[in-house]
Amino acid sequence: MLYSSILERFNSIREREMNTLNPSIKSNQYQFYGLVTLRFLIGWHFLYEGIAKLLNPYWSSAAYLLDSKWIFSGIAKSIVSNPTLLTISDYLNMWGLTLVGISLVFGLFSRYGALVGMGLIMMYYLFAPPLVGLEYGKPNEGSYIVVNKNLIEACALWVLYVFPTSQYIGIDRFMNNETKN
Amino acid sequence: MANKKNKTNLERRDLLKGLAGVPVAGFFLLNLWQKIRRDKIKKSNLLSDLVQEKKAPAVVKSVSNSRQLNIGIIGYGGRGGHLVRGAGFATTAWTDKASENARKNKLDKQFETFMTQEDLNCSLVGVSDLFDVRADQGIDASKNETRPGGKPAVTAKKYPRYQDMLANDEIDAVIIATPDHWHAKIVIDAAKAGKHVYVEKGLTRTFDEAVDIYDVVKETGITFQLGHQNRQVEANEKAKQIYRQGLLGPVNLVEIATNRNSPWGAWVWNIHPKGNAKTIDWETFQEPSPNKIPFGEEALKRFFRWRCWFDYGTGLSGDLLSHDFDAINQIMDIGIPKYASSTGGVYFYKDGRDVPDTWNATFEYPDHKDGGLTLLYSATLSSANPRGNRIMGHDATMQMGGQSGGGSIHGFAVTADEYSTQYKERLNNGMINPSYPIMTYSPGSKDIDGVTSATSKYFANKGLLYTYRDGKRVDPTHLHVKDWLDSIRNGTQPRCNVDVAYHEAVACAMATESYLTGRRVEYDAKNRKLI
């Protein structure tokens, strides 16, 4: 009873989302393909970040975690000190990044991919935010204050989540008959 | 008909839109493949091609269980305590504090490293120290049940005079960690009593004492180990392979350095509150020293900070130069220099000491196989700038320790030289870039632990605190004690035997002599004399 009412509610939200968001993004080709390009680029970035880590037998999230500052530094430290947690963290990163990359590039469950990717990047941001007064061992490749590329990429993924394109361009197209054309 | 065609078109468009990611992925894979291929070529040019032996040195074969050995400790101070821990015995105060530290800071692995070290199948049966408090701590360590291997079989006996300990037939071997001025006499007495010896560095206070030790060890045939635990450090063994293969090219200059900047690092150690005329046997302490003073405030200072005076040690020479000299001797087999000269002074710690706090020494090897070699040692106790040690070859330079950041503990980096002959072709075709290392080595890089204090960091960068065996963190001091005990059982030579110990002792004595006399000192190998 409860389950079916939740499902009903979920479906109605989904339907409303599709109806309100999709026609508008499809109406302007420049806007639409801009979003598709953004999805490909972020997907590509995630995919290589993941694969590069998978290919490097010495990669570990430990160095990043050890340099963590601000509210999550305690959690970071306990992850590093526990070999099991560290291994889990390493695998979550390597495979998380790779799978999100595949999801965005191929347009397969891309909305969820964008959501998971946003979560991952927000973690990177929160474990080491460029706030005034926090200094890190590893130098940045640019100059940041509060806002850095992680935050921007997370925000871009949020845009991809609320303006999904994979039901038009992507494997998701085959799963959504009503959105064809 | 038209309808059908329209439908096929629609389906094709559908398919193209659905699989739009495929060409993107294809382009990605093409780039990935190119990158992997390029990295592989680069690697084969830099690594497999260059370094023959890629595996880490094997774990020392375990023979610790074959015969139980009884050991005694003479001089249970800070270093003596560490050595006895290496043999498997720590004081209750130490185990309590280490386990508490581990609880407070999960990255602190000191306790875990101690508890997981191999049980060396030995008993600590005798403790001798001229300071009663320390002797009692040694007794406490001998019976502490918190140790690898469980409850100890015996409790050690306290020997106010080390001679009585040597007279005990049940004792097989002794660890000597007294101040340097006592080393020679105790080593000679122990060897004559048939005890195997592990003695701390620097080997002796004077050149003549080094000759005496060398002779007595050779005559008696005891198993002798000098306390240079760097001999167990994996990175040094790796560095040796690289040097031997000629990857650095001819080497004519080696730079080694000490960079410390803390009172502890300058031997301004605490004067124990319980140290007084009743608890300290001052007369025995100063027996072998050239200058004698009555017991009092000055004597207390000298007892606890003995490294600051030439009466008891040789300062930077025996304490720190000796370590780095021995590491280079381990890697390059340089042996005893022909000439040594040194200069320096007391420029920062004007606290009454007579050993220099800023000191530079040069050692000349005109007959070295690479055409001739200069070893340059530079030391300061008022700057911790991590200069590290450098083996500077014509083809490449090896920078050891002292690298900043990167979490690299006692690793090294080899960088090709812009004007190298050996790598000329690779440099020209861009395969080797002289701005980046062609090889870096940082063992245990996946195993992170928190080395916190400045002194710990100093030693960790030198590879003296921890090393790695099969990826597991071990204390090289433990491995060095184990190497000695195993050699006793097997009748083999330990890694820092009397031959290489003699090299270190003579080199350090030459540099000290040069500082004290203000002239260049030459070693007459034929007559075993300093000229």
Side-chain angles (χ1 to χ4, degrees):
Chain A
M1 192 60 186
L2 183 71
Y3 174 74
S4 65
S5 79
I6 289 173
L7 198 70
E8 211 169 275
R9 174 107 185 103
F10 177 77
N11 278 334
S12 81
I13 290 174
R14 193 159 170 269
E15 214 167 287
R16 204 169 62 219
E17 264 184 11
M18 290 296 174
N19 291 339
T20 51
L21 293 174
N22 296 331
S24 63
I25 58 164
K26 275 281 281 177
S27 62
N28 181 322
Q29 292 285 304
Y30 291 112
Q31 288 176 354
F32 176 70
Y33 283 105
L35 286 168
V36 174
T37 309
L38 183 65
R39 203 190 80 207
F40 282 151
L41 294 180
I42 296 181
W44 181 297
H45 178 217
F46 267 71
L47 191 55
Y48 188 63
E49 281 283 10
I51 287 179
K53 289 172 178 63
L54 285 170
L55 290 178
N56 177 1
Y58 300 106
W59 182 82
S60 164
S61 56
Y64 191 83
L65 289 169
L66 271 183
D67 206 19
S68 171
K69 303 275 152 68
W70 209 45
I71 50 172
F72 288 119
S73 61
I75 298 173
K77 214 170 158 185
S78 29
I79 294 173
V80 177
S81 62
N82 182 328
T84 319
L85 283 180
L86 186 61
T87 311
I88 292 173
S89 152
D90 286 353
Y91 275 89
L92 275 181
N93 275 293
M94 293 189 282
W95 284 105
L97 289 165
T98 309
L99 292 177
V100 168
I102 290 172
S103 153
L104 295 177
V105 167
F106 286 97
L108 178 67
F109 308 121
S110 276
R111 291 199 78 206
Y112 304 104
L115 203 62
V116 172
M118 195 168 80
L120 268 173
I121 298 229
M122 276 317 284
M123 295 274 274
Y124 300 152
Y125 177 80
L126 292 172
F127 273 86
L131 303 183
V132 179
L134 300 183
E135 285 183 22
Y136 297 94
K138 214 174 146 194
N140 275 319
E141 91 280 28
S143 309
Y144 307 115
I145 183 165
V146 184
V147 176
N148 64 7
K149 288 180 190 168
N150 278 341
L151 194 61
I152 295 167
E153 195 166 16
C155 185
L157 282 161
W158 178 49
V159 172
L160 292 182
Y161 173 69
V162 293
F163 293 104
T165 54
S166 60
Q167 71 276 34
Y168 299 109
I169 300 286
I171 294 175
D172 284 345
R173 182 183 182 92
F174 304 129
M175 297 174 200
N176 275 310
N177 283 325
E178 71 272 22
T179 57
K180 273 186 194 172
N181 209 348
Chain B
M1 189 72 179
N3 212 359
K4 199 179 174 189
K5 199 178 170 189
N6 210 3
K7 206 181 167 200
T8 326
N9 268 345
L10 259 180
E11 273 175 1
R12 194 193 289 156
R13 266 181 64 195
D14 239 8
L15 199 68
L16 283 177
K17 284 186 173 176
L19 298 178
V22 174
V24 178
F27 188 48
F28 176 86
L29 287 176
L30 180 74
N31 276 279
L32 181 67
W33 179 68
Q34 281 177 339
K35 168 113 178 93
I36 291 172
R37 206 179 54 148
R38 200 184 145 71
D39 286 354
K40 215 174 156 186
I41 295 171
K42 234 178 157 174
K43 234 181 183 167
S44 68
N45 264 281
L46 301 184
L47 278 178
S48 41
D49 195 23
L50 302 181
V51 184
Q52 287 154 1
E53 178 57 63
K54 280 177 286 300
K55 273 180 21 200
V59 184
V60 190
K61 203 168 166 242
S62 179
V63 286
S64 300
N65 290 318
S66 63
R67 190 179 120 213
Q68 197 269 344
L69 290 169
N70 288 330
I71 59 171
I73 170 83
I74 303 170
Y76 190 85
R79 187 61 199 157
H82 192 172
L83 288 167
V84 170
R85 269 204 307 282
F89 304 89
T91 59
T92 43
W94 189 90
T95 48
D96 287 351
K97 187 152 191 270
S99 62
E100 195 195 318
N101 286 346
R103 260 200 310 279
K104 274 196 210 147
N105 176 6
K106 286 173 183 163
L107 293 176
D108 194 319
K109 301 269 176 72
Q110 210 177 17
F111 186 64
E112 188 192 315
T113 304
F114 172 68
M115 291 305 285
T116 54
Q117 84 187 20
E118 190 189 333
D119 178 21
L120 299 183
N121 193 22
C122 61
S123 297
L124 179 61
V125 298
V127 177
S128 181
D129 199 289
L130 298 178
F131 179 33
D132 247 0
V133 175
R134 294 261 162 85
D136 290 338
Q137 285 169 355
I139 304 296
D140 173 56
S142 78
K143 57 185 179 187
N144 184 1
E145 293 180 17
T146 311
R147 64 180 293 273
K151 199 178 171 205
V154 289
T155 298
K157 194 181 154 193
K158 187 154 85 177
Y159 294 92
R161 292 178 72 253
Y162 77 87
Q163 290 89 343
D164 295 331
M165 184 198 283
L166 296 179
N168 181 349
D169 288 338
E170 283 177 6
I171 292 182
D172 302 292
V174 289
I175 296 174
I176 301 164
T178 62
D180 299 355
H181 66 310
W182 262 107
H183 285 179
K185 178 143 179 29
I186 304 175
V187 171
I188 292 164
D189 288 349
K192 285 186 175 162
K195 312 293 183 205
H196 303 290
V197 167
Y198 181 116
V199 63
E200 253 316 310
K201 54 81 217 176
L203 183 63
T204 56
R205 202 183 68 84
T206 67
F207 170 76
D208 293 339
E209 289 172 342
V211 175
D212 292 345
I213 286 187
Y214 180 83
D215 289 344
V216 80
V217 171
K218 289 286 179 186
E219 277 161 26
T220 55
I222 59 156
T223 304
F224 175 93
Q225 176 93 301
L226 180 66
H228 282 304
Q229 64 273 21
N230 54 273
R231 292 265 166 185
Q232 310 296 335
V233 172
E234 200 177 289
N236 288 343
E237 288 299 308
K238 201 81 193 167
K240 184 177 185 156
Q241 287 169 6
I242 288 168
Y243 172 70
R244 280 202 171 168
Q245 263 180 255
L247 296 180
L248 307 180
V251 175
N252 305 117
L253 180 63
V254 175
E255 286 185 357
I256 52 178
T258 289
N259 323 288
R260 284 180 165 189
N261 196 10
S262 69
W264 193 95
W267 319 299
V268 186
W269 297 332
N270 289 339
I271 293 169
H272 200 284
K274 286 185 183 159
N276 56 50
K278 275 187 193 150
T279 54
I280 292 173
D281 182 355
W282 172 248
E283 285 315 316
T284 305
F285 178 85
Q286 64 171 351
E287 209 176 278
S289 59
N291 302 299
K292 313 266 194 284
I293 61 160
F295 189 81
E297 213 169 292
E298 176 67 12
L300 260 182
K301 236 167 83 179
R302 286 174 170 240
F303 184 84
F304 288 105
R305 299 171 183 172
W306 60 271
R307 281 201 191 277
C308 301
W309 287 274
F310 278 117
D311 277 333
Y312 321 106
T314 54
L316 284 161
S317 180
D319 188 25
L320 297 166
L321 158 66
S322 62
H323 268 314
D324 293 292
F325 177 89
D326 188 66
I328 297 300
N329 198 20
Q330 176 185 1
I331 295 164
M332 297 176 63
D333 285 322
I334 52 174
I336 300 171
K338 178 89 175 138
Y339 308 106
S341 45
S342 77
T343 55
V346 185
Y347 300 149
F348 191 83
Y349 285 96
K350 298 188 187 292
D351 53 4
R353 66 179 61 198
D354 61 8
V355 300
D357 53 27
T358 309
W359 191 52
N360 295 285
T362 52
F363 301 91
E364 299 300 333
Y365 294 80
D367 306 322
H368 187 264
K369 68 171 177 63
D370 287 345
L373 171 78
T374 295
L375 171 66
L376 180 66
Y377 172 67
S378 177
T380 169
L381 296 181
S382 60
S383 165
N385 187 316
R387 288 181 288 180
N389 295 343
R390 277 192 286 185
I391 300 178
M392 301 171 73
H394 167 69
D395 292 310
T397 289
M398 179 184 283
Q399 169 87 33
M400 294 141 57
Q403 297 111 314
S404 52
S408 70
I409 292 176
H410 63 257
F412 59 75
V414 178
T415 310
D417 195 282
E418 203 181 337
Y419 301 103
S420 153
T421 315
Q422 189 183 159
Y423 303 127
K424 197 172 176 192
E425 209 178 302
R426 289 189 175 99
L427 284 159
N428 285 344
N429 67 21
M431 211 47 103
I432 287 180
N433 181 341
S435 318
Y436 298 103
I438 51 174
M439 185 189 183
T440 55
Y441 188 70
S442 51
S445 56
K446 269 198 136 177
D447 188 7
I448 307 293
D449 44 43
V451 174
T452 45
S453 79
T455 321
S456 306
K457 274 188 182 144
Y458 172 84
F459 279 121
N461 277 334
K462 296 269 185 200
L464 298 180
L465 268 186
Y466 306 110
T467 186
Y468 290 83
R469 283 287 187 277
D470 282 352
K472 188 187 156 219
R473 195 179 90 156
V474 276
D475 183 344
T477 296
H478 161 70
L479 289 174
H480 207 48
V481 172
K482 174 181 158 55
D483 176 32
W484 172 58
L485 294 176
D486 288 346
S487 299
I488 294 172
R489 291 172 176 127
N490 292 339
T492 52
Q493 285 292 315
R495 291 197 187 186
C496 201
N497 59 41
V498 79
D499 291 307
V500 285
Y502 184 69
H503 298 166
E504 177 259 66
V506 174
C508 292
M510 287 168 77
T512 305
E513 179 78 4
S514 171
Y515 176 75
L516 292 173
T517 58
R519 61 179 182 87
R520 186 172 85 158
V521 174
E522 184 181 342
Y523 177 61
D524 175 357
K526 213 167 160 193
N527 300 306
R528 294 199 298 173
K529 273 197 164 59
L530 298 188
I531 346 177

Short mmCIF file of all heavy atoms in Angstrom, two decimals, chain B residues 39-71:
data_model
loop_
_atom_site.label_atom_id
_atom_site.label_comp_id
_atom_site.label_asym_id
_atom_site.label_seq_id
_atom_site.Cartn_x
_atom_site.Cartn_y
_atom_site.Cartn_z
N ASP B 39 53.98 5.30 -22.40
CA ASP B 39 54.48 5.09 -21.03
C ASP B 39 55.33 3.82 -20.96
O ASP B 39 56.32 3.76 -20.25
CB ASP B 39 53.32 4.98 -20.03
CG ASP B 39 52.70 6.35 -19.77
OD1 ASP B 39 53.26 7.35 -20.28
OD2 ASP B 39 51.67 6.41 -19.08
N LYS B 40 54.88 2.81 -21.70
CA LYS B 40 55.57 1.52 -21.67
C LYS B 40 56.98 1.67 -22.27
O LYS B 40 57.96 1.18 -21.72
CB LYS B 40 54.76 0.50 -22.47
CG LYS B 40 54.85 -0.89 -21.88
CD LYS B 40 53.91 -1.81 -22.62
CE LYS B 40 54.37 -3.24 -22.48
NZ LYS B 40 53.56 -4.14 -23.30
N ILE B 41 57.05 2.35 -23.41
CA ILE B 41 58.34 2.56 -24.06
C ILE B 41 59.26 3.34 -23.12
O ILE B 41 60.42 3.00 -22.91
CB ILE B 41 58.18 3.33 -25.39
CG1 ILE B 41 57.39 2.48 -26.39
CG2 ILE B 41 59.54 3.70 -25.97
CD1 ILE B 41 56.99 3.22 -27.66
N LYS B 42 58.68 4.38 -22.53
CA LYS B 42 59.44 5.23 -21.61
C LYS B 42 59.97 4.40 -20.45
O LYS B 42 61.13 4.49 -20.08
CB LYS B 42 58.52 6.32 -21.07
CG LYS B 42 59.10 7.71 -21.27
CD LYS B 42 58.13 8.72 -20.76
CE LYS B 42 58.88 9.98 -20.42
NZ LYS B 42 57.99 11.06 -20.04
N LYS B 43 59.10 3.57 -19.90
CA LYS B 43 59.47 2.75 -18.77
C LYS B 43 60.56 1.76 -19.13
O LYS B 43 61.51 1.57 -18.39
CB LYS B 43 58.23 1.98 -18.27
CG LYS B 43 57.96 2.18 -16.81
CD LYS B 43 56.76 1.37 -16.44
CE LYS B 43 56.41 1.59 -15.00
NZ LYS B 43 55.11 1.06 -14.69
N SER B 44 60.43 1.15 -20.32
CA SER B 44 61.41 0.14 -20.70
C SER B 44 62.76 0.80 -20.91
O SER B 44 63.80 0.19 -20.72
CB SER B 44 60.95 -0.62 -21.94
OG SER B 44 60.97 0.24 -23.04
N ASN B 45 62.74 2.07 -21.32
CA ASN B 45 63.99 2.77 -21.50
C ASN B 45 64.60 3.19 -20.18
O ASN B 45 65.79 3.37 -20.06
CB ASN B 45 63.77 4.02 -22.35
CG ASN B 45 64.08 3.74 -23.79
OD1 ASN B 45 65.23 3.71 -24.17
ND2 ASN B 45 63.06 3.47 -24.57
N LEU B 46 63.74 3.43 -19.21
CA LEU B 46 64.24 3.98 -17.96
C LEU B 46 64.43 2.93 -16.88
O LEU B 46 65.28 3.06 -16.04
CB LEU B 46 63.29 5.05 -17.44
CG LEU B 46 63.07 6.22 -18.38
CD1 LEU B 46 62.19 7.25 -17.73
CD2 LEU B 46 64.38 6.85 -18.78
N LEU B 47 63.58 1.93 -16.88
CA LEU B 47 63.64 1.00 -15.76
C LEU B 47 64.18 -0.37 -16.09
O LEU B 47 65.32 -0.68 -15.77
CB LEU B 47 62.26 0.86 -15.12
CG LEU B 47 61.89 1.97 -14.15
CD1 LEU B 47 60.49 1.74 -13.63
CD2 LEU B 47 62.85 1.97 -12.98
N SER B 48 63.38 -1.16 -16.81
CA SER B 48 63.79 -2.55 -17.03
C SER B 48 65.12 -2.60 -17.75
O SER B 48 65.98 -3.41 -17.46
CB SER B 48 62.72 -3.28 -17.83
OG SER B 48 62.23 -2.45 -18.84
N ASP B 49 65.29 -1.64 -18.68
CA ASP B 49 66.51 -1.58 -19.42
C ASP B 49 67.69 -1.28 -18.50
O ASP B 49 68.79 -1.77 -18.70
CB ASP B 49 66.33 -0.45 -20.45
CG ASP B 49 67.39 -0.52 -21.52
OD1 ASP B 49 67.92 -1.62 -21.71
OD2 ASP B 49 67.66 0.50 -22.15
N LEU B 50 67.43 -0.46 -17.50
CA LEU B 50 68.53 0.03 -16.68
C LEU B 50 68.79 -0.81 -15.44
O LEU B 50 69.90 -1.20 -15.17
CB LEU B 50 68.26 1.48 -16.26
CG LEU B 50 68.05 2.48 -17.40
CD1 LEU B 50 67.83 3.87 -16.85
CD2 LEU B 50 69.25 2.50 -18.32
N VAL B 51 67.74 -1.07 -14.68
CA VAL B 51 67.96 -1.78 -13.43
C VAL B 51 67.72 -3.27 -13.61
O VAL B 51 66.64 -3.69 -13.97
CB VAL B 51 67.03 -1.24 -12.32
CG1 VAL B 51 67.33 -1.91 -11.00
CG2 VAL B 51 67.24 0.25 -12.18
N GLN B 52 68.76 -4.04 -13.40
CA GLN B 52 68.65 -5.48 -13.64
C GLN B 52 67.75 -6.14 -12.59
O GLN B 52 66.86 -6.90 -12.91
CB GLN B 52 70.03 -6.12 -13.63
CG GLN B 52 70.82 -5.78 -14.87
CD GLN B 52 72.31 -5.84 -14.64
OE1 GLN B 52 72.76 -6.15 -13.53
NE2 GLN B 52 73.10 -5.51 -15.65
N GLU B 53 68.02 -5.85 -11.34
CA GLU B 53 67.26 -6.50 -10.27
C GLU B 53 66.16 -5.57 -9.81
O GLU B 53 66.42 -4.53 -9.24
CB GLU B 53 68.22 -6.81 -9.11
CG GLU B 53 67.57 -7.46 -7.91
CD GLU B 53 66.85 -8.74 -8.25
OE1 GLU B 53 67.52 -9.69 -8.68
OE2 GLU B 53 65.62 -8.78 -8.09
N LYS B 54 64.91 -5.95 -10.10
CA LYS B 54 63.82 -5.04 -9.77
C LYS B 54 63.14 -5.39 -8.46
O LYS B 54 62.44 -4.59 -7.88
CB LYS B 54 62.79 -5.01 -10.89
CG LYS B 54 63.25 -4.11 -12.02
CD LYS B 54 62.29 -4.09 -13.17
CE LYS B 54 62.34 -5.34 -14.00
NZ LYS B 54 63.64 -5.61 -14.60
N LYS B 55 63.38 -6.58 -8.01
CA LYS B 55 62.69 -6.99 -6.77
C LYS B 55 63.39 -6.43 -5.53
O LYS B 55 64.59 -6.22 -5.53
CB LYS B 55 62.62 -8.50 -6.69
CG LYS B 55 61.38 -9.00 -7.41
CD LYS B 55 61.11 -10.46 -7.46
CE LYS B 55 61.68 -11.43 -6.53
NZ LYS B 55 61.65 -12.79 -7.03
N ALA B 56 62.63 -6.21 -4.49
CA ALA B 56 63.20 -5.73 -3.24
C ALA B 56 64.03 -6.86 -2.63
O ALA B 56 63.81 -8.03 -2.93
CB ALA B 56 62.08 -5.35 -2.29
N PRO B 57 65.04 -6.50 -1.82
CA PRO B 57 65.83 -7.57 -1.20
C PRO B 57 64.96 -8.50 -0.36
O PRO B 57 64.00 -8.06 0.27
CB PRO B 57 66.83 -6.81 -0.33
CG PRO B 57 66.36 -5.41 -0.26
CD PRO B 57 65.46 -5.17 -1.42
N ALA B 58 65.29 -9.75 -0.40
CA ALA B 58 64.47 -10.74 0.30
C ALA B 58 64.57 -10.55 1.81
O ALA B 58 65.53 -9.98 2.31
CB ALA B 58 64.93 -12.13 -0.08
N VAL B 59 63.56 -11.04 2.48
CA VAL B 59 63.58 -11.00 3.94
C VAL B 59 64.73 -11.89 4.41
O VAL B 59 64.97 -12.96 3.85
CB VAL B 59 62.25 -11.55 4.49
CG1 VAL B 59 62.18 -11.43 5.99
CG2 VAL B 59 61.08 -10.85 3.84
N VAL B 60 65.46 -11.43 5.43
CA VAL B 60 66.55 -12.24 5.96
C VAL B 60 65.96 -13.57 6.40
O VAL B 60 64.93 -13.60 7.09
CB VAL B 60 67.19 -11.55 7.19
CG1 VAL B 60 68.47 -12.26 7.59
CG2 VAL B 60 67.47 -10.08 6.91
N LYS B 61 66.59 -14.64 6.00
CA LYS B 61 66.02 -15.96 6.31
C LYS B 61 65.97 -16.14 7.82
O LYS B 61 66.92 -15.86 8.53
CB LYS B 61 66.87 -17.05 5.66
CG LYS B 61 66.09 -18.32 5.46
CD LYS B 61 66.83 -19.30 4.57
CE LYS B 61 66.19 -20.65 4.69
NZ LYS B 61 67.10 -21.65 5.22
N SER B 62 64.85 -16.61 8.26
CA SER B 62 64.65 -16.70 9.69
C SER B 62 65.31 -17.95 10.28
O SER B 62 64.97 -19.06 9.93
CB SER B 62 63.16 -16.73 9.99
OG SER B 62 62.98 -16.83 11.37
N VAL B 63 66.30 -17.73 11.14
CA VAL B 63 66.90 -18.86 11.83
C VAL B 63 66.90 -18.60 13.34
O VAL B 63 67.59 -19.25 14.09
CB VAL B 63 68.36 -19.14 11.37
CG1 VAL B 63 68.40 -19.77 10.00
CG2 VAL B 63 69.20 -17.88 11.39
N SER B 64 66.11 -17.61 13.76
CA SER B 64 66.15 -17.18 15.15
C SER B 64 65.75 -18.26 16.14
O SER B 64 66.00 -18.13 17.32
CB SER B 64 65.25 -15.96 15.33
OG SER B 64 65.72 -14.95 14.49
N ASN B 65 65.10 -19.32 15.67
CA ASN B 65 64.62 -20.30 16.64
C ASN B 65 65.60 -21.44 16.91
O ASN B 65 65.34 -22.30 17.73
CB ASN B 65 63.30 -20.89 16.16
CG ASN B 65 62.21 -19.85 16.26
OD1 ASN B 65 62.17 -19.13 17.25
ND2 ASN B 65 61.38 -19.75 15.25
N SER B 66 66.73 -21.43 16.19
CA SER B 66 67.57 -22.61 16.28
C SER B 66 68.26 -22.77 17.64
O SER B 66 68.42 -23.87 18.12
CB SER B 66 68.61 -22.58 15.16
OG SER B 66 69.44 -21.46 15.33
N ARG B 67 68.70 -21.70 18.25
CA ARG B 67 69.39 -21.84 19.53
C ARG B 67 69.08 -20.64 20.41
O ARG B 67 69.20 -19.49 19.98
CB ARG B 67 70.89 -21.92 19.27
CG ARG B 67 71.70 -22.31 20.49
CD ARG B 67 73.18 -22.40 20.14
NE ARG B 67 73.95 -21.46 20.94
CZ ARG B 67 75.04 -20.83 20.53
NH1 ARG B 67 75.49 -21.00 19.30
NH2 ARG B 67 75.70 -20.02 21.33
N GLN B 68 68.70 -20.92 21.64
CA GLN B 68 68.38 -19.83 22.55
C GLN B 68 69.68 -19.17 23.00
O GLN B 68 70.68 -19.83 23.26
CB GLN B 68 67.61 -20.42 23.75
CG GLN B 68 66.85 -19.42 24.58
CD GLN B 68 67.68 -18.89 25.72
OE1 GLN B 68 68.71 -19.46 26.07
NE2 GLN B 68 67.24 -17.79 26.31
N LEU B 69 69.69 -17.82 23.03
CA LEU B 69 70.90 -17.10 23.43
C LEU B 69 70.62 -16.20 24.62
O LEU B 69 69.54 -15.61 24.73
CB LEU B 69 71.41 -16.25 22.27
CG LEU B 69 71.99 -16.98 21.04
CD1 LEU B 69 72.19 -16.02 19.89
CD2 LEU B 69 73.30 -17.66 21.40
N ASN B 70 71.59 -16.13 25.52
CA ASN B 70 71.48 -15.23 26.66
C ASN B 70 72.30 -13.97 26.38
O ASN B 70 73.49 -14.06 26.09
CB ASN B 70 72.01 -15.89 27.93
CG ASN B 70 71.07 -16.96 28.43
OD1 ASN B 70 69.85 -16.88 28.24
ND2 ASN B 70 71.62 -18.00 29.06
N ILE B 71 71.65 -12.82 26.49
CA ILE B 71 72.40 -11.60 26.22
C ILE B 71 72.40 -10.65 27.41
O ILE B 71 71.53 -10.71 28.28
CB ILE B 71 71.87 -10.85 24.97
CG1 ILE B 71 70.40 -10.47 25.13
CG2 ILE B 71 72.06 -11.67 23.71
CD1 ILE B 71 69.89 -9.55 24.05
#
